[in-house]
Amino acid sequence: MHELGLTKELVDIVDARAREAGAVKIKSIMLTIGAFSGVEADAVSFCFEVVAKGTLAEGAELVIERVPLKVDCAGCGRTSVNEDNFPICPLCGGTNVVITSGREFVIRSMEVEDNV
Amino acid sequence: MCDECGCGNPDTTKTAGDNAASHHEHKHTHDHGDVKILELGADVRARNDAIAAGTRNLLKKRGITVINLISSPGSGKTTLLEKTLVALKDEIKIAVVEGDQQTDRDAERIRACGVPVVQINTISSCHLDAHQVAHAIEDLPLDGVKMLVIENVGNLVCPASFDLGEAMKVVLLSVTEGDDKPLKYPLAFHNAGAMVITKTDLLPHVDFDVKKCRSFAKRVNPALKIIETSCRGAGDLSQWLDFVRGFGTDK
């Protein structure tokens, strides 16, 4: 479960950024997780509660946007989503593809509370 | 100064417990302040990737190319490595980073081949990360070394997602594991530059279809180089040794 280490990194990033901004609490964190990132969103949520304890992110809500695997096919020239999560063109079966999205594990933004 | 492991602490394990230990009571102000949105656009893997890029750069400057061996436990990574080190000892000077949850048994095997080796014990972690490898390299004598082989923790899932600074990930698949692994674990095979099918001497005894396996692997990675090996008895490492020779001198 490599999500434990990654979630610790996530919490380190948001905690540091919130402190830099003079915030006292993180209310919510907006994440993007790609279907072909090797990162399981449920595992991140599971780890987050434990890892966030004692940081500004404790109790914050994780809002996770899941992004499907999208490929540009050199064979047929089309861009499409592979719902089966294989780096293959679902339209023509071509394997000569470039992944254009689906590998993300990104913190987009967060909602923080300032001092009174 | 390293802010992740505290440098000098040999235990590189990162657990939730570390965090819980520093838990403290918040002094909540119950009059809530202003709420604002902070835009981050931060890749969670950025720090790992930055450390990996640093390692890649450092070793490239020294003329050292890096291979990251990944596979499930028991596919024969250490055995393949031992045979390779012995076969190429007069041709390419190779150093090794060994990753396992516990023990230095693999490092001992590699040391017996007469090459520099350092063991990383990840304890609870299921993969090596760039930070662990960067520190491990500090302990390796690299004079004259042309190639560094990192033997990752046996696991076909987690190591696939972490850049360690390698020029290439090489994924091993033994014939006892089943020919459909590339479809079941596509990330590992997609992110690798080469696949080594190991233990081919066992093919008469197992239902492993090499042709099917090659086709499955090419589906998730058409550019994948596929090599077959056997380490038992007389064995057959010719394709593999040629690959390593090319890699050690070209890159």
Side-chain angles (χ1 to χ4, degrees), chain B residues 29-41:
Chain B
T29 61
H30 288 279
D31 295 323
H32 289 274
D34 291 337
V35 171
K36 65 179 177 188
I37 304 283
L38 296 180
E39 300 291 338
L40 274 79

Side-chain angles (χ1 to χ4, degrees), chain B residues 141-161:
Chain B
L142 292 175
D143 283 347
V145 169
K146 289 288 167 210
M147 178 179 284
L148 176 73
V149 179
I150 302 166
E151 183 184 335
N152 219 310
V153 178
N155 178 339
L156 207 43
V157 182
C158 310
S161 298

Side-chain angles (χ1 to χ4, degrees), chain B residues 185-202:
Chain B
Y185 301 88
L187 206 59
F189 294 86
H190 181 78
N191 289 349
M195 168 172 87
V196 183
I197 301 175
T198 61
K199 309 187 189 181
T200 55
D201 51 290
L202 293 176

Side-chain angles (χ1 to χ4, degrees), chain A residues 40-62:
Chain A
E40 178 52 53
D42 289 344
V44 172
S45 298
F46 176 77
C47 296
F48 180 76
E49 270 188 49
V50 180
V51 172
K53 274 193 183 138
T55 75
L56 295 188
E58 183 171 351
E61 183 194 1
L62 276 190

